[in-house]
Amino acid sequence: MKIALLHPPFPSAFWLGRAIYNHNFPLGLGYIAAYVRRAGHTVKIFDPEPCGMPLELMWKKVKEFGPDLVGITSVTPNFMSARRLALEAKRRLGCLVVIGGPHANALPRSTLQSMPGLDAVILGEGEIPMLALATEFDARGKVDFNKIPGAAFIEGWKYKENPHPEPISDLDALPYPARDLVDISLYYPHRFFFGGKKSATILSSRGCPGQCTFCANICMGRKFRPHSPVYVVGELEYLAKKYGIGHFKIYDDCFTADPRRVSDICDLIISKHLN
C-alpha cells in the first residue's frame, strides 16, 4: 500500500509572531510511517508548514506519489486545517482518507459528521490499526473497516466504533520514528531556547498513571509504558551522530513516573560521553 501522511498547518493566528516560531517533527506520523514501512509498505510524510510549501504544491506532490490512503493527524488548534485537507484529499484523489490524533480521539463522532467523505477515525495508538488497514488493502484491494481495530466510522447512516487494540506493551520493539522522510533541519525549538539550534522531540514513554478527567492522554492510555533506558539513549545517540542534534524536548505524558529509570537514562548519557 502507498500511504501519504499529512501534518496540517496551524492557523497563523495561533502563533505570536515569526520570530518565535517553532516547528516540531510530527512524532505520531513518524512512528506510524516507520512501523508500516518496516512491514513493506511505501510511506511519505507531507508537512508543508516548516518548509513554507504552498498547499497547492503539496497536493501536486501528493498526487505524483499516488497514495492509496491519506492519513491525517490533528490537535484542536489545527483541526479546521485537518478538515480542509481531508475534504480536499477525497475530492482530488478519491482514495481512502482517515484521521487520528487527540482531537479526533476526543470527538470521533462529530469529526466524522463534519467531514463528508472521511472514511474513518483511528482511535488510540495508530501503529497497529494502520498496519491492519494496509494489510487488508493489500489482500483485498479494499478495506472493510469492521475488521480494523480502533476504527470509528459510519456505515448505513449508523456510527460504529471498533474496540481499541491493546496498547503496545513492548515499546522497544518499535523502530525509531521515520525522521528520514522529512528535512530534519526544518525542525527547531522556539527562538527563545538554544538560539534556534538543532533540536529534536522524542517520546521515551507512553501513557500516564494519572486519572485527570481534563487530560488528552486518551490516545496513549492511562498506563505508564516506558522505553528502556538503553533504547532511549540509543535514540539520542543516533540523532546526535546522524544529524548533529544536541538538544532534545521530551514529549512524554509523564517522563518521571519511574524515577529510577530517569536516573538510569542520565547515567547512560554520562557513561557514553554524550554532550
Side-chain angles (χ1 to χ4, degrees):
M1 192 181 204
K2 297 176 74 172
I3 302 169
L5 298 176
L6 275 53
H7 189 216
F10 286 82
S12 58
F14 183 74
W15 307 104
L16 296 177
R18 191 78 187 179
I20 59 169
Y21 256 42
N22 75 305
H23 297 296
N24 293 325
F25 174 74
L27 281 169
L29 297 186
Y31 274 110
I32 290 170
Y35 192 74
V36 299
R37 184 173 65 176
R38 186 173 65 179
H41 303 284
T42 305
V43 192
K44 285 193 176 183
I45 293 176
F46 295 89
D47 190 4
E49 188 174 61
C51 56
M53 181 187 295
L55 288 182
E56 199 59 39
L57 178 57
M58 184 202 75
W59 284 121
K60 180 182 177 182
K61 292 179 177 293
V62 173
K63 189 171 183 179
E64 289 172 353
F65 175 52
D68 304 303
L69 167 73
V70 168
I72 304 169
T73 186
S74 172
V75 291
T76 300
N78 70 351
F79 176 72
M80 294 309 295
S81 295
R83 181 179 182 275
R84 286 191 290 271
L85 290 184
L87 295 172
E88 279 293 291
K90 184 60 76 171
R91 182 180 72 83
R92 291 172 181 257
L93 305 169
C95 63
L96 292 169
V97 182
V98 300
I99 190 169
H103 186 98
N105 270 256
L107 299 166
R109 187 191 297 263
S110 65
T111 297
L112 285 161
Q113 291 172 340
S114 70
M115 296 185 184
L118 180 68
D119 292 288
V121 170
I122 301 300
L123 301 172
E125 294 175 300
E127 290 92 348
I128 291 174
M130 289 294 279
L131 181 56
L133 195 159
T135 302
E136 169 88 351
F137 182 87
D138 276 5
R140 302 174 61 242
K142 57 183 179 179
V143 174
D144 178 359
F145 283 98
N146 288 287
K147 298 180 179 179
I148 306 303
F153 56 101
I154 293 175
E155 185 177 70
W157 302 102
K158 292 183 179 180
Y159 174 77
K160 291 188 173 184
E161 185 176 311
N162 294 338
H164 297 201
E166 284 296 315
I168 299 169
S169 57
D170 182 12
L171 293 184
D172 284 5
L174 295 175
Y176 297 151
R179 295 181 177 89
D180 60 293
L181 295 180
V182 299
D183 180 355
I184 199 68
S185 68
L186 297 172
Y187 299 91
Y188 49 81
H190 285 287
R191 295 298 187 187
F192 289 139
F193 303 112
F194 320 131
K197 295 177 182 178
K198 290 181 178 180
S199 74
T201 50
I202 67 164
L203 275 175
S204 84
S205 67
R206 296 185 181 186
C208 174
Q211 300 296 314
C212 304
T213 58
F214 57 80
C215 186
N217 71 1
I218 52 174
C219 291
M220 296 298 187
R222 299 186 183 276
K223 180 181 179 181
F224 180 70
R225 293 170 291 131
H227 281 292
S228 68
V230 171
Y231 182 101
V232 175
V233 178
E235 184 174 6
L236 299 182
E237 187 173 25
Y238 167 76
L239 292 170
K241 289 181 177 179
K242 184 173 178 64
Y243 298 109
I245 292 170
H247 300 103
F248 297 90
K249 296 199 292 184
I250 298 171
Y251 262 42
D252 297 23
D253 284 327
C254 195
F255 175 65
T256 56
D258 180 354
R260 177 61 183 268
R261 187 187 74 110
V262 177
S263 293
D264 289 344
I265 289 171
C266 294
D267 288 342
L268 270 175
I269 292 172
I270 293 169
S271 69
K272 287 178 172 288
H273 306 288
L274 298 179
N275 185 19

